[in-house]
Amino acid sequence: MAGNWKMYKTPAETHNYIEAFKPLVAASTHCDIVLCPPFPNLPAAVAEAAGTTIGIGAQNLHWGKEGAVTGEVSGHMLQAVGCSHVIIAHSERRQYFKESEPEVVKKVEAALEWGLTPIVCVGELLAEREAGRTEDVLSEQFDGGLAPLTPEQFAKIVIAYEPVWAIGTGKVATPQMASDAHRFIRSKVTARFGAEAGAAVRILYGGSVKPDNVKGLMAEEEIDGALVGGASLDPKSFAAIVNY
Ligand code: PGA
């Protein structure tokens, strides 16, 4: 269960959030829990989560180790700060920052090199779904961004299926729609990396997950977890999702 805070909260707010969140999930050993705050809040998040099972992730990284790349942050730096995860290719990165599949591959490889678990996002736009192109888009994203990985690299990643039309809109995909997309992604994994990899890969659903719809989504065998935006900004609400 991963919380994507996007561009919300200061370091002080991060500290207060995790202080309140910790006791609510102290007994939640049924899943991995990850919070992904903005870059400046990562040290405060790592410090406050120390000694708990809560992992801290970033929302993006650059593939280089260091260099003249103004405004970017490397996997090396995220590792040094104590991150365990990093979100890659969120649809907002794809849409607003034009991240492309070749960059996804480079970012995943860099994350793995620095010991970070990549949470790689895929998903179709509303127009693509309405045009019946959902599977084509998922195929393009898988073939371009994930198929080039080695089986060893692929074994360490988490996939998040996030239909773009469901993000921040309150329009959650039905459990059936999400499940169908997950099954399709899993079939791509099986075709490229084998049945064992297909069965083992964790596929999270993201897009308007809330405390009152998480249970129905998690009841689907294909759905292994959730990547939560808006509803992860409040510790009680995110804890309710974790403890669905
Ligand atoms: P949302 O965002 O839960 O606010 O829809 C999900 C995401 O963008 O990861």
Side-chain angles (χ1 to χ4, degrees), residues 52-200:
T52 74
T53 57
I54 303 166
I56 301 300
Q59 300 171 15
N60 182 29
L61 83 167
H62 187 270
W63 51 84
K65 179 186 175 192
E66 57 189 14
V69 197
T70 302
E72 292 293 314
V73 171
S74 73
H76 179 40
M77 293 162 187
L78 297 178
Q79 182 204 52
V81 130
C83 287
S84 54
H85 290 70
V86 59
I87 299 171
I88 294 176
H90 187 277
S91 65
E92 287 149 20
R93 302 291 319 169
R94 292 178 185 267
Q95 251 182 305
Y96 307 143
F97 302 95
K98 307 291 172 235
E99 287 191 10
S100 61
E101 306 317 332
E103 284 175 327
V104 175
V105 179
K106 287 197 278 185
K107 289 184 177 203
V108 170
E109 287 174 341
L112 293 173
E113 191 182 329
W114 297 105
L116 304 163
T117 299
I119 303 173
V120 184
C121 303
V122 295
E124 80 287 359
L125 303 168
L126 181 59
E128 293 167 336
R129 175 163 282 268
E130 286 176 342
R133 291 197 60 240
T134 298
E135 293 191 351
D136 294 343
V137 172
L138 294 176
S139 275
E140 282 160 24
Q141 292 172 340
F142 181 87
D143 294 344
L146 296 177
L149 300 173
T150 66
E152 293 71 29
Q153 288 171 326
F154 185 82
K156 295 183 184 144
I157 74 159
V158 174
I159 297 175
Y161 168 62
E162 298 205 313
V164 180
W165 47 270
I167 295 177
T169 57
K171 280 188 217 153
V172 64
T174 63
Q176 186 62 50
M177 281 160 110
S179 189
D180 289 346
H182 284 217
R183 190 172 303 108
F184 178 73
I185 294 165
R186 213 177 283 283
S187 75
K188 296 283 298 180
V189 174
T190 301
R192 164 66 182 91
F193 295 105
E196 214 171 296

Side-chain angles (χ1 to χ4, degrees), residues 2-6 87 90-92 121 160 162-164 166-171 205-210 226-233 241:
N4 171 16
W5 287 3
K6 309 194 179 186
I87 299 171
H90 187 277
S91 65
E92 287 149 20
C121 303
E162 298 205 313
V164 180
I167 295 177
T169 57
K171 280 188 217 153
Y205 168 78
S208 296
V209 176
K210 308 282 178 223
L227 178 56
V228 187
S232 74
L233 291 171
I241 290 174

